[in-house]
Amino acid sequence: MDVQLKGKLALITGGSVGIGLAVSKALAKEGVNLVLCARDKERLRKVCKDIQSEFGVEVMAIAADVSKSDDINSIIEKVKSAYDGIDILINNAGTGSEEKIIDAPDEKWQYYWDLHVMAAVRLSRAVIPLMQNKGGGVILNNASICAKQPLGYEPIYNTTKAALSMFSKCLANEAIPFNIRVNTVNPGLILTPDWKKTASALGEKEGLTADQYLDRLAKEYTPIGRFGTPEELAHFFVFLCSPLASYSVGSTYYVDGGWLNVVE
Ligand code: NDP
């Protein structure tokens, strides 16, 4: 299938590992040039170099913390100095949390709000004119199944991801007259380094190894009985970026091995 993406330019936050890296590689495989952002400069630079040599596309690395508005301004300035416009924005950077509402401080709420919601707001606002230069574009917001079906240990994550998916819906309505399609992806259990870190912390409390914890979780939660791979999810992102998905606007797509327990 020709996904008609060759020569496009995608800006992907959190493109250096996990889901963001898999999506970056899957788009690069289709000939998409990339701008990748993450905080860890060394890891990001290495990943960009590797993708460039494996797929022969242009890859720009921008070390930035997308929870900070100054860093977002600097991402946009760097992109503008190198390119006339952007075709695809993937708001992917994010991470799980662990707290009780009763004692989580304001600062923690604020950080996750800035990371999961304001980063998408600020980047979308800055990128829409750059997409208009190209006659349209695609914005994908990587939320989570937790935006709809919360996990008990991470109320701040659940809440901020739910806000992201509502933002995405509102933006979709505003952006489609400019031929910019906005959608949300809600992944379920996808085996990334972030999950491995969470599993060792949560498993330890129950005397389980990270692998034992992950296996139990997958069997307990998902009809499919296993975690998905970042690559399985990345195919879905590529399709939504493609003009083949031209009538997909303002929707939320679950890629979750059947975990969502309601009919959407
Ligand atoms: P990883 O921890 O594997 O990767 C997160 C990426 O985001 C890294 O590149 C990290 O790089 C970057 N990042 C984190 N914080 C910031 C920041 N403040 N500024 C810029 N970059 C940042 O996570 P996953 O791949 O698992 O998750 C990716 C997204 O998918 C997240 O939004 C997550 O909530 C969502 N998701 C994941 C699921 C899963 O099962 N894995 C399920 C549902 C949703 P660096 O640390 O260098 O900044």
Side-chain angles (χ1 to χ4, degrees), residues 83-104:
Y83 295 100
D84 293 337
I86 293 181
D87 302 287
I88 297 163
L89 166 65
I90 301 184
N91 291 308
N92 164 75
T95 192
S97 65
E98 191 195 352
E99 63 278 320
K100 292 273 185 241
I101 294 168
I102 197 95
D103 56 15

Side-chain angles (χ1 to χ4, degrees), residues 6-249:
K6 199 169 168 33
K8 302 282 188 197
L9 179 68
L11 168 57
I12 304 174
T13 67
S16 61
V17 69
I19 294 169
L21 175 58
V23 172
S24 301
K25 285 185 173 176
L27 286 172
K29 194 171 170 207
E30 299 301 332
V32 175
N33 298 313
L34 304 172
V35 178
L36 304 188
C37 313
R39 291 162 304 174
D40 180 339
K41 200 187 286 185
E42 287 320 307
R43 178 168 67 179
L44 181 67
R45 285 219 178 112
K46 183 179 179 319
V47 158
C48 288
K49 223 171 128 207
D50 291 350
I51 295 178
Q52 201 155 4
S53 60
E54 185 174 351
F55 300 102
V57 293
E58 291 170 27
V59 190
M60 181 189 246
I62 304 180
D65 181 340
V66 295
S67 71
K68 296 183 175 156
S69 88
D70 286 351
D71 283 26
I72 295 211
N73 293 340
S74 120
I75 294 170
I76 296 301
E77 284 318 308
K78 284 177 183 155
V79 172
K80 275 185 179 168
S81 68
Y83 295 100
D84 293 337
I86 293 181
D87 302 287
I88 297 163
L89 166 65
I90 301 184
N91 291 308
N92 164 75
T95 192
S97 65
E98 191 195 352
E99 63 278 320
K100 292 273 185 241
I101 294 168
I102 197 95
D103 56 15
D106 284 5
E107 293 72 25
K108 189 168 188 187
W109 282 95
Q110 190 63 56
Y111 177 71
Y112 280 83
W113 177 256
D114 287 339
L115 176 61
H116 292 154
V117 185
M118 290 314 296
V121 172
R122 290 169 175 146
L123 279 166
S124 303
R125 205 165 48 200
V127 150
I128 283 175
L130 299 176
M131 290 183 166
Q132 287 177 285
N133 290 349
K134 297 278 204 93
V138 171
I139 299 177
L140 298 181
N141 293 306
N142 188 9
S144 167
I145 191 172
C146 295
K148 180 82 180 184
Q149 184 171 277
L151 278 172
Y153 62 83
E154 50 183 0
I156 296 183
Y157 180 81
N158 303 329
T159 305
T160 51
K161 288 292 190 170
L164 173 64
S165 62
M166 179 54 82
F167 160 72
S168 190
K169 179 67 180 167
C170 296
L171 182 66
N173 294 336
E174 213 177 294
I176 195 60
F178 310 126
N179 192 32
I180 297 169
R181 293 186 298 106
V182 183
N183 286 291
T184 305
V185 178
N186 278 352
L189 297 176
I190 306 296
L191 195 51
T192 60
D194 197 37
W195 254 118
K196 287 181 186 160
K197 198 175 72 191
T198 305
S200 15
L202 298 179
E204 203 179 327
K205 291 183 185 170
E206 300 181 40
L208 297 174
T209 66
D211 284 346
Q212 286 167 335
Y213 184 87
L214 291 170
D215 192 50
R216 192 193 68 191
L217 204 66
K219 293 204 161 64
E220 186 183 332
Y221 286 155
T222 64
I224 203 169
R226 65 171 176 85
F227 270 71
T229 65
E231 291 71 25
E232 282 177 293
L233 177 60
H235 297 313
F236 204 81
F237 275 83
V238 171
F239 177 71
L240 287 177
C241 289
S242 161
L244 299 179
S246 50
Y247 207 60
S248 297
V249 176

